[in-house]
Every structure is written in C-alpha cells, then in structure tokens.
Amino acid sequence: SASGHKAAGSLVPGDKIVLGDGSTGEVAAIRHSRKPGLYNPHTLIGDIVVDGVVTSTFTTTVHPLAAEVLLSPIRWLYTCCGLSVSGFLDNNSPATIVKYLPRGGNSMVR
C-alpha cells in the first residue's frame, strides 16, 4: 500500500518484510492461528516487533488515520505527563465497555 503497510491476512510467500534489526526479509510460509482474548497493543509510534518482524499496531477494523487521531490524546498524556491508561481496557474492564470494542480486524505488517 501507499503507507508501506499490508494487512497480515493479505501476505503471501515471497512478500518483503522489515525485520526488527532494520534489515529486510521474505515471507517463507503462512501459518494461521487463533487464540482467545483481545490483543491490541498501542505504542507511541504505532510499530511493534513481533517474532522479529516489525508490525503496525493498527488493524483493518479502524482506519490508521482515525486511530492516530483517537489515540493522540492518550499518547500526549503519556509523553507530556507520564500518565498511563494501561489497564483501563484490560480483562478487568466492565463488560459494558468491552462489548463496544471492535473485534476481528487483521493486524498490518510493514
């Protein structure tokens, strides 16, 4: 894509990927897995290294630009004041909040 990101679900063997050390690699094979729970980490820059591969914390559920706008106050609070909202939307959150969270978007890989 124009942003350099591609949804993980659209990767195919031979696609180029960026590794955690900055070098590039190639997708050798695709393996699918599902695990219970909601995994959606957010970082200050929107990238995270998973199994040695640089990936985006954005999903296809929410457009990356919308996510940037929605997350900017939280990132600002953390950067400016050291305030963290970690744990606010974790497994101990009230069901009334969790039920409104989007589900099932593919992760994006750079």
Side-chain angles (χ1 to χ4, degrees):
S1 74
S3 68
H5 291 93
K6 186 173 186 178
S10 64
L11 287 173
V12 296
D15 280 349
K16 300 292 183 202
I17 55 176
V18 177
L19 303 178
D21 64 3
S23 65
T24 58
E26 191 172 287
V27 175
I30 305 292
R31 180 177 47 115
H32 297 274
S33 67
R34 279 196 188 264
K35 297 184 179 182
L38 177 65
Y39 303 94
N40 196 224
H42 295 288
T43 65
L44 293 176
I45 61 171
D47 288 343
I48 191 170
V49 177
V50 178
D51 293 334
V53 177
V54 176
T55 64
S56 170
T57 58
F58 299 119
T59 69
T60 57
T61 303
V62 177
H63 190 279
L65 182 57
E68 282 285 345
V69 170
L70 293 170
L71 291 170
S72 63
I74 294 169
R75 290 178 173 155
W76 179 82
L77 281 171
Y78 180 81
T79 302
C80 173
C81 309
L83 299 177
S84 174
V85 292
S86 65
F88 177 70
L89 294 177
D90 65 9
N91 291 333
N92 297 320
S93 298
T96 55
I97 295 172
V98 174
K99 73 180 180 182
Y100 293 108
L101 296 174
R103 301 190 197 302
N106 287 322
S107 294
M108 298 177 78
V109 177
R110 188 167 13 163

